[in-house]
Amino acid sequence: LVMLMNERRYDDALAVYEELNRESGGGSPTYLYAISMAREGRGDSIEAVMEPIDSAIAKFGTPLPSEAANFIMRRGQLYANSGKYREAVQDYNQYARLMNDKVSPVFYYERSQIEVNARMYQPALDDINKAIELAPREPLYYVEKAALTVRVNLFDECIEACQTAIRLNPDIIDTYRILGYAQFQKGDKTAARANLQKAIDMGDETAKKLLSTLF
């Protein structure tokens, strides 16, 4: 079955999983999860992909046991992919509770991204700071913090995050564009121009448009 999925033979995989689920009495969360994956692989509607996950979660009953955590996470990801960001955040929150908050920095990073899309900026900032706390050497998290703080006009925090990101990895182009914009907003036009130009030299077309707009 794994081979069928790896070979992208989703119709074949789906037929097998649905038969296995019928043989189990239709109550196997594991097979329902697999059915959702196969349906997604072949391009079914979000409703068709979500339905077996909802059914699997219902099988666990309430209160949900920790074994339901991956199913909740799967549904949260589907919500996020379909633009239902607040529903996604609720599932991510429930996943964290089921895991007793023993989650990875990647979890906090992903939830932060969803919270930004939901315009939940303070929770997003809290989560990206938690990701940084758990993985202080990951430059991507500082870049994402910079992108968030510049959005909410926290320019000093943005500049600090950018500078840390550059120390950890000087090759992330977005960092220089964000840094340049934040420096411009703080009135440091010389540094702003230099960092926007550096982003341009690295191939950032957005920085080119920004430079022409600001100067």
Side-chain angles (χ1 to χ4, degrees), residues 91-115:
D91 273 352
Y92 271 69
N93 292 346
Q94 188 170 32
Y95 172 85
R97 288 193 294 272
L98 290 171
M99 298 296 292
N100 293 319
D101 290 322
K102 295 178 181 179
V103 294
S104 70
V106 173
F107 169 86
Y108 288 108
Y109 165 74
E110 289 182 356
R111 188 169 66 178
S112 176
Q113 297 291 288
I114 297 168
E115 288 162 339

Side-chain angles (χ1 to χ4, degrees), residues 138-214:
E138 175 49 65
L140 173 62
Y141 298 158
Y142 293 95
V143 177
E144 292 301 328
K145 178 176 180 177
L148 173 56
T149 50
V150 78
R151 183 191 289 259
V152 294
N153 300 325
L154 297 173
F155 299 119
D156 289 330
E157 288 188 43
C158 175
I159 290 168
E160 182 180 356
C162 286
Q163 290 170 339
T164 302
I166 290 169
R167 285 197 297 273
L168 292 171
N169 184 349
D171 298 325
I172 302 176
I173 300 173
D174 291 351
T175 316
Y176 298 97
R177 182 184 69 252
I178 297 168
L179 177 57
Y181 179 78
Q183 289 170 328
F184 180 87
Q185 295 300 322
K186 291 290 292 182
D188 190 351
K189 294 184 178 180
T190 300
R193 184 189 290 272
N195 280 302
L196 288 171
Q197 186 60 54
K198 185 171 182 61
I200 293 168
D201 293 342
M202 296 172 74
D204 190 338
E205 291 296 322
T206 302
K208 184 183 295 186
K209 295 175 184 176
L210 187 58
L211 184 64
S212 65
T213 300
L214 296 179

